[in-house]
Amino acid sequence: MKPVSTKTIHQAGYSRLWWFILPVLLYYGCETAASKSNIPGQKHASLPVINVEARTATTYRKFSTSLEGTKDVEIRPQVSGYLEKIYVDEGAHVQKGQPLFKIDDKLYRQQLNNAEASLLAAKADLETAQINLAKLAPLVQHRVISDVQLREAQAARDAANASVAEATAVVGTARINLGYTLIKAPAEGYIGKLPFKQGSLVGKNTSEALTTLSAIGHVYAYFSMSEADFLAFKHQFAGETIEDKIKQMPPVDLVMADGSIYPEKGKVETVLGRFDKTMGTISFRAVFPNKNGLLRSGNTGEIKIPHLVKDDLVIPQTATFELQDKVFVFTVEKGNKVTSVPISVSAVSGHYYLISKGIQPGEKIVFTGLDRLRDGMVIQPQNISLDSLLQADPL
């Protein structure tokens, strides 16, 4: 057997000694780290804290919306012909009855002239039949001729009367067709795209409309609710019927595509009778005044429906942080130690959260500086009034 050297024995002894010392060093190291924040005389971080209090707040439920004029009317020709004149331009504002298009009317004037001539001929025939009837009547009375001839004369007069009525109807139709050659605005509104140019051949069978007239003195905002949202709506507002509940709804806001709020309030007017099976939603319609024409058909945005919440706990969003899809706050416990606590957010109002559970009224939470905190740390709290925050940034 090879003898063991003295150096090897010393190395083995140092190795066994290190395994005794290492746990002691780790223990005291952990103790030091755990108590470092509580060393007597150490200066703790000074952080603002607020008391958790209940307040009355207005929350909003938002729904995507698309806008349409109260009258989006397709302007189509009722007669065929060449487009002789276009009196308006795209985007123009027009009044009810204002001329928009003129179709070449030569053919329809000629048709009217022919119809009027036919009417004159029919009236002449009627007069002749009446004269003949007047001649035969006394002869029949004196039994000069038989009453058969009188009845024949009466039938001729009735036929002439019918011819006059028919000719009158043809004249009326011709006048209507001639009137159709001048196309007028059926309502006040704005002209849309003009796909046809002067000289284009248009008619009843033309697939594309001459233009679309949008009456936008008021606009409709259509939005949809899911089944869960619809049930919440039914529970939120008083009334036995849906119509009664809609009447109880407060005015709604319209958020424009750029995030700005439309200055006029809207009113929800109606809800469709059934759910869309494909989307699982039901549609509502709100109406907004549009005196200045700021809104146009095709605009999009969001409808904000307000909901008054009473006596809910209110905290600023800056007093929270998120971790794994949960929202937390740091509460200030005995000895000014902070503890992270998960909370449940029931609604959002401005820059504030409304809290349903997780914290209680009267508890203190850290307002800012959360990124420097860990559970168990001690801080020097600086009290801030929730009212002062609400004055600077209302709910």
Side-chain angles (χ1 to χ4, degrees), residues 190-212:
Y190 289 86
I191 297 297
K193 182 181 177 182
L194 299 175
F196 296 98
K197 306 304 178 185
Q198 188 171 329
S200 300
L201 180 62
V202 297
K204 287 184 179 181
N205 298 324
T206 304
S207 60
E208 195 169 6
L210 296 178
T211 190
T212 300

Side-chain angles (χ1 to χ4, degrees), residues 165-226:
E166 182 180 2
T168 301
V170 173
V171 169
T173 300
R175 282 193 178 131
I176 291 173
N177 288 335
L178 179 61
Y180 282 151
T181 61
L182 180 61
I183 302 172
K184 299 180 180 181
E188 180 183 359
Y190 289 86
I191 297 297
K193 182 181 177 182
L194 299 175
F196 296 98
K197 306 304 178 185
Q198 188 171 329
S200 300
L201 180 62
V202 297
K204 287 184 179 181
N205 298 324
T206 304
S207 60
E208 195 169 6
L210 296 178
T211 190
T212 300
L213 177 67
S214 297
I216 55 173
H218 288 77
V219 296
Y220 290 142
Y222 291 92
F223 62 98
S224 298
M225 286 188 183
S226 67

Side-chain angles (χ1 to χ4, degrees), residues 132-145 150:
N132 290 334
L133 181 62
K135 287 180 180 179
L136 295 176
L139 296 178
V140 172
Q141 289 178 354
H142 293 88
R143 297 183 180 181
V144 176
I145 60 174
L150 180 62

Side-chain angles (χ1 to χ4, degrees), residues 87-290:
Y87 296 104
V88 292
D89 199 358
E90 294 174 343
H93 180 265
V94 297
Q95 301 293 330
K96 182 178 181 180
Q98 181 176 334
L100 304 179
F101 305 96
K102 181 72 166 65
I103 295 175
D104 184 13
D105 64 356
K106 296 183 183 66
L107 173 64
Y108 301 100
R109 286 191 180 278
Q110 189 62 41
Q111 288 177 351
L112 177 60
N113 292 337
N114 292 338
E116 288 176 339
S118 297
L119 176 60
L120 290 176
K123 287 181 177 179
D125 291 342
L126 174 61
E127 187 174 358
T128 299
Q130 289 174 337
I131 291 173
N132 290 334
L133 181 62
K135 287 180 180 179
L136 295 176
L139 296 178
V140 172
Q141 289 178 354
H142 293 88
R143 297 183 180 181
V144 176
I145 60 174
S146 67
D147 61 350
V148 174
Q149 291 177 293
L150 180 62
R151 288 197 297 272
E152 288 177 349
Q154 289 174 335
R157 183 205 55 191
D158 293 341
N161 260 326
S163 296
V164 169
E166 182 180 2
T168 301
V170 173
V171 169
T173 300
R175 282 193 178 131
I176 291 173
N177 288 335
L178 179 61
Y180 282 151
T181 61
L182 180 61
I183 302 172
K184 299 180 180 181
E188 180 183 359
Y190 289 86
I191 297 297
K193 182 181 177 182
L194 299 175
F196 296 98
K197 306 304 178 185
Q198 188 171 329
S200 300
L201 180 62
V202 297
K204 287 184 179 181
N205 298 324
T206 304
S207 60
E208 195 169 6
L210 296 178
T211 190
T212 300
L213 177 67
S214 297
I216 55 173
H218 288 77
V219 296
Y220 290 142
Y222 291 92
F223 62 98
S224 298
M225 286 188 183
S226 67
E227 188 172 356
D229 289 329
F230 184 66
L231 292 174
F233 153 75
K234 291 198 295 183
H235 293 140
Q236 180 178 344
F237 299 103
E240 295 184 359
T241 65
I242 296 298
E243 289 75 16
D244 293 337
K245 293 178 184 293
I246 288 177
K247 291 178 181 178
Q248 297 299 319
M249 294 182 70
V252 297
D253 289 318
L254 174 62
V255 182
M256 307 294 288
D258 62 355
S260 62
I261 303 295
Y262 181 64
E264 299 281 354
K265 296 282 188 179
K267 179 63 179 175
V268 178
E269 286 187 330
T270 186
V271 57
L272 298 188
R274 57 180 297 176
F275 277 85
D276 185 318
K277 292 182 179 180
T278 304
M279 303 298 295
T281 58
I282 191 167
S283 295
F284 285 71
R285 188 186 75 195
V287 62
F288 287 84
N290 190 33

